[in-house]
Amino acid sequence: MILWEALGSVLIGLAVSYGALRWLPTRYGQFRSRVLTLSTGPVAALFGALLAHSVLGPGHAVATLAVSLGVAVALLSLLLRPAGRARRSATA
């Protein structure tokens, strides 16, 4: 059962990272690297699934995949660069 959860979480991570690269509007910012984004999604989802499976135990496949989706989205959001330049004050 954990093999299917791992495979499902990797596919969720790939879908989230590809979807973020493809459909995220430019007003939210740009990703630093395409390769980094496409590799972070599956790794983050797999880590989330492993973490959820160790906390929840076997028999909670839907919850495990939901946690893996959340972890993948959270870690991919850390790769976003803000749109536009950062403004610095004269005192900084």
Side-chain angles (χ1 to χ4, degrees):
M1 190 65 163
I2 194 167
L3 179 68
W4 293 111
E5 290 174 1
L7 183 63
S9 67
V10 167
L11 291 176
I12 285 173
L14 276 173
V16 167
S17 61
Y18 180 74
L21 282 173
R22 180 85 170 117
W23 292 296
L24 192 65
T26 57
R27 69 176 176 210
Y28 292 121
Q30 296 292 326
F31 285 101
R32 300 179 192 280
S33 168
R34 182 176 174 86
V35 174
L36 180 65
T37 303
L38 286 174
S39 62
T40 299
V43 170
L46 188 61
F47 175 71
L50 181 67
L51 184 69
H53 185 79
S54 65
V55 169
L56 297 174
H60 296 83
V62 176
T64 301
L65 293 177
V67 169
S68 72
L69 174 68
V71 171
V73 168
L75 286 181
L76 280 174
S77 72
L78 295 176
L79 296 179
L80 274 175
R81 235 189 284 175
R85 300 184 115 178
R87 296 183 183 187
R88 295 188 179 217
S89 66
T91 59

